[in-house]
């Protein structure tokens, strides 16, 4: 496990000071080589010993060891993991781009899998499956997040689960008024900050429902209202690449949940719905 991934995966278990160090390191990984442990401590307004203890708690001998490991991780991200050989010289730019994109997606999926313990993914699937027996599953997302919420709502519907999807916070707030204990609310929000979604999550908790947030692996208000949290780790300095990594890692995470729900005795319902819908889709 790379140093950066180790920091991301353990951040939620860190103290307040350790989280400050972790956030600074993650945000400034490429510049860390220019910082000594004392300079890092000064930048954060903490003691040098706090920096050293942070490194040792992650399993490194000290700050130089951590800095070297992060430097290697940054170099691999910049240059790719595979050595260049003569055959690579014949690969055109399109193939090189495709390989790099696939590698970055794979890394994002691996990081996302590492920060979502199997018990959490199983608990999310179990909550959805339990709500399906006479209950409802509400889903909401704003903007691009609505695309993921809508697609997942459709897949749940194919399993015979009553999925209440809405992209309008006002309409969803009205729908949530009919929620009962045991119902589930899935809130899709990459950054977990929109106040309307936080309000809906809080209201749903008051109705004794189970709130499941799907956000980035960051501290955000929405996670504070969630009973269960699914987290996505996808990072790239290129603004046009990072959303692709996020979507890819999120999709794989949702696929894991869907498979668990489907295998909880809903395969026959799925097959029956697919056979009934097929004539509508044929030309």
């Amino acid at each position: 496990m790379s140093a950066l991934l180790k920091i991301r995966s353990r951040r939620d278990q860190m103290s307040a000071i350790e989280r400050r160090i972790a956030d600074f390191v993650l945000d400034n990984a490429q510049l860390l080589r220019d910082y000594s442990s004392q300079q890092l401590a000064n930048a954060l307004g903490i003691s040098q010993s706090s920096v050293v203890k942070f490194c040792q708690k992650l399993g490194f001998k000290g700050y130089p060891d951590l800095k070297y490991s992060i430097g290697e991780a940054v170099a691999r991200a910049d240059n790719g993991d595979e050595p260049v050989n003569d055959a690579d010289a014949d690969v055109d730019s399109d193939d090189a781009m495709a390989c790099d994109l696939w590698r970055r997606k794979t890394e994002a999926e691996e990081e996302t899998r590492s920060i979502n313990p199997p018990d959490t993914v199983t608990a999310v699937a179990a909550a959805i499956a339990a709500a399906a027996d006479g209950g409802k599953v509400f889903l909401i997302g704003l903007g691009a997040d609505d695309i993921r919420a809508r697609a997942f709502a459709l897949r749940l519907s194919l399993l015979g689960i009553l999925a209440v999807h809405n992209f309008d916070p006002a309409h969803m707030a009205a729908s949530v008024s009919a929620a009962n204990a045991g119902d589930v609310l899935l809130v899709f929000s990459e950054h977990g900050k929109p106040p309307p979604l936080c309000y809906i999550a809080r209201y749903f908790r008051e109705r004794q429902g189970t709130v499941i947030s799907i956000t980035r692996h960051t501290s955000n208000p929405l996670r504070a209202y969630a009973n269960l949290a699914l987290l996505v780790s996808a990072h790239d300095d290129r603004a046009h690449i990072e959303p692709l990594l996020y979507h890819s890692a999120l999709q794989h995470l949702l696929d894991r949940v869907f498979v668990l729900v489907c295998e909880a005795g809903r395969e026959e319902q799925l097959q029956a719905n697919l056979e009934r819908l097929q004539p509508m889709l044929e030309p």
Side-chain angles (χ1 to χ4, degrees):
M1 182 183 295
S2 73
L4 295 175
L5 176 52
K6 187 179 293 187
I7 293 173
R8 292 191 186 106
S9 63
R10 298 186 184 181
R11 185 188 181 282
D12 286 350
Q13 288 74 48
M14 294 179 180
S15 66
I17 291 180
E18 289 170 344
R19 285 197 298 272
R20 287 176 58 195
I21 301 173
D23 290 341
F24 184 90
V25 170
L26 292 173
D27 292 340
N28 300 277
Q30 293 183 322
L31 304 177
L32 202 63
R33 64 178 182 275
D34 299 325
Y35 280 81
S36 66
S37 58
Q38 185 60 62
Q39 289 172 323
L40 177 58
N42 293 340
L44 295 172
I46 59 177
S47 66
Q48 186 179 20
S49 62
S50 295
V51 175
V52 175
K53 290 178 181 177
F54 170 82
C55 300
Q56 294 174 340
K57 191 171 182 179
L58 289 172
F60 296 97
K61 296 179 181 179
Y63 178 75
D65 191 23
L66 172 66
K67 184 165 68 169
Y68 178 78
S69 181
I70 290 177
E72 283 192 325
V74 171
R76 284 196 298 269
D78 289 341
N79 302 323
D81 293 321
E82 300 298 328
V84 176
N85 54 40
D86 293 339
D88 293 331
D90 296 330
V91 177
D92 60 33
S93 59
D94 287 341
D95 285 342
M97 179 274 293
C99 291
D100 178 68
L101 182 59
W102 179 256
R103 178 179 61 82
R104 299 294 292 126
K105 284 185 175 182
T106 301
E107 291 173 353
E109 186 279 321
E110 290 175 348
E111 290 187 13
T112 297
R113 179 153 33 95
S114 71
I115 61 178
N116 289 279
D119 290 346
T120 298
V121 179
T122 300
V124 169
I128 295 174
D133 297 327
K136 300 175 290 296
V137 177
F138 297 81
L139 305 95
I140 186 172
L142 305 181
D145 291 307
D146 175 60
I147 298 174
R148 292 132 194 171
R150 183 189 300 269
F152 199 62
L154 174 60
R155 297 172 75 182
L156 293 181
S157 297
L158 290 173
L159 297 180
I161 298 174
L162 178 55
V164 182
H165 164 260
N166 211 314
F167 62 87
D168 187 320
H171 288 176
M172 180 56 83
S175 298
V176 164
S177 64
N180 299 309
D183 287 346
V184 170
L185 170 67
L186 292 168
V187 188
F188 293 73
S189 178
E190 181 174 353
H191 300 289
K193 295 180 179 180
L197 297 184
C198 294
Y199 169 81
I200 292 171
R202 183 176 71 248
Y203 183 37
F204 199 83
R205 287 284 295 267
E206 293 174 357
R207 302 288 301 179
Q208 304 302 309
T210 299
V211 177
I212 300 172
S213 64
I214 301 97
T215 70
R216 278 188 173 275
H217 184 233
T218 58
S219 295
N220 58 73
L222 186 58
R223 285 180 63 185
Y225 295 107
N227 301 94
L228 296 167
L230 292 177
L231 307 172
V232 179
S233 179
H235 305 275
D236 198 283
D237 293 334
R238 296 164 292 181
H240 62 295
I241 297 296
E242 190 170 55
L244 304 180
L245 306 184
Y246 179 85
H247 175 73
S248 179
L250 171 58
Q251 187 60 58
H252 188 78
L253 179 59
L254 294 176
D255 288 345
R256 291 171 59 194
V257 174
F258 176 78
V259 170
L260 289 174
V261 176
C262 185
E263 293 180 348
R266 293 192 169 270
E267 297 98 326
E268 292 184 4
Q269 182 68 63
L270 173 63
Q271 186 61 37
N273 282 336
L274 290 175
E275 291 177 357
R276 189 176 66 254
L277 291 174
Q278 189 58 38
M280 300 173 57
L281 304 176
E282 293 177 349

